[in-house]
């Protein structure tokens, strides 16, 4: 009784909180990323939608072009345009003093693209993405773990084990 109305009210408050955070600190990557996630997950009658996500991307590009490009790649991925998402995510070259939020945004986006390729049985593309993750983020276990999963899915267990073990040398608690 009224649960749909309650959900819409709560969703609106969540969206408004993210929007307020972005307004108060336009360079708050976490707030922009969270607002983007809201727009991609919430239905339009609750304030979500790809059009709102695109508006956020345009606004973000004005303030932080790199983050805007990564948010565009995330939207492309959400819209099943994996090729465009991949090229957009790979085109962003972060510098050594980039903030952690931007690094994590790219890292998580690339991991999602690699995992999407594995699910689609596009193992060569997945391996390229996971190898690139390993190259760009050498202290992050995800690239090696992703390579291991890709080889495992192909039945190449020796290669999979080798990459799983490498991921454990990077982070002992990796998966």
């Amino acid at each position: 009784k009224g649960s749909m109305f309650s959900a819409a009210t709560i969703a609106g408050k969540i969206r408004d909180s993210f929007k307020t955070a972005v307004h108060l600190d336009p360079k708050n990557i976490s707030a922009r990323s969270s607002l983007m996630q809201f727009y991609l997950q919430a239905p339009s009658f609750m304030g979500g939608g790809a059009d709102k996500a695109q508006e956020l991307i345009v606004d973000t590009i004005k303030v932080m072009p790199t983050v805007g490009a990564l948010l565009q790649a995330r939207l492309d991925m959400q819209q099943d345009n994996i090729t465009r998402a991949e090229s957009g995510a790979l085109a962003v070259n972060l510098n050594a003093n980039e903030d952690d939020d931007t690094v994590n945004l790219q890292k998580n986006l690339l991991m999602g693209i690699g995992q999407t390729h594995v699910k689609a049985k596009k193992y060569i593309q997945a391996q390229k993405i996971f190898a690139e993750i390993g190259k760009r983020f050498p202290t992050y276990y995800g690239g090696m773990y992703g390579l291991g999963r890709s080889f495992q899915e192909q039945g190449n267990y020796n290669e999979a084990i080798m990459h799983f073990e490498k991921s454990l040398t990077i982070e002992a608690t990796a998966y």
Side-chain angles (χ1 to χ4, degrees):
K1 57 178 171 178
S3 63
M4 188 61 143
F5 181 72
S6 296
T9 301
I10 292 169
K13 288 179 181 180
I14 291 168
R15 181 203 59 228
D16 292 346
S17 294
F18 291 142
K19 287 174 84 171
T20 299
V22 168
H23 176 73
L24 292 173
D25 182 3
K27 293 191 175 190
N28 184 333
I29 297 165
S30 180
R32 285 183 180 273
S33 183
S34 296
L35 182 56
M36 177 74 164
Q37 196 64 26
F38 175 87
Y39 286 149
L40 295 178
Q41 291 182 352
S44 58
F45 74 90
M46 289 188 175
D51 58 331
K52 300 253 175 56
Q54 193 63 58
E55 289 172 15
L56 176 64
I57 291 165
V58 169
D59 182 55
T60 302
I61 288 171
K62 293 174 188 172
V63 182
M64 297 173 292
T66 299
V67 174
L70 292 171
L71 292 180
Q72 180 63 58
R74 185 193 266 179
L75 175 61
D76 293 335
M77 190 170 162
Q78 178 77 19
Q79 295 178 329
D80 292 326
N81 191 340
I82 303 304
T83 303
R84 185 171 169 190
E86 182 176 328
S87 68
L90 290 173
V92 173
N93 293 306
L94 303 179
N95 58 48
N97 58 358
E98 203 72 52
D99 63 274
D100 289 345
D101 287 337
T102 305
V103 169
N104 289 332
L105 187 60
Q106 185 180 40
K107 192 173 16 176
N108 293 334
L109 182 59
L110 289 171
M111 282 297 293
I113 291 167
Q115 291 164 349
T116 299
H117 284 319
V118 170
K119 287 178 188 169
K121 299 184 184 332
K122 295 180 178 180
Y123 301 117
I124 300 301
Q125 292 97 319
Q127 288 165 355
K128 287 178 184 175
I129 291 293
F130 292 129
E132 187 65 26
I133 291 168
K135 181 178 149 193
R136 291 183 186 211
F137 310 105
T139 60
Y140 175 61
Y141 69 91
M144 289 299 116
Y145 181 82
L147 282 167
R149 284 285 299 128
S150 181
F151 285 118
Q152 180 185 24
E153 288 294 321
Q154 295 174 76
N156 188 340
Y157 301 116
N158 289 334
E159 196 74 22
I161 290 169
M162 182 184 78
H163 284 90
F164 288 143
E165 287 175 346
K166 282 183 184 178
S167 75
L168 289 170
T169 63
I170 296 169
E171 172 139 358
T173 59
Y175 290 89

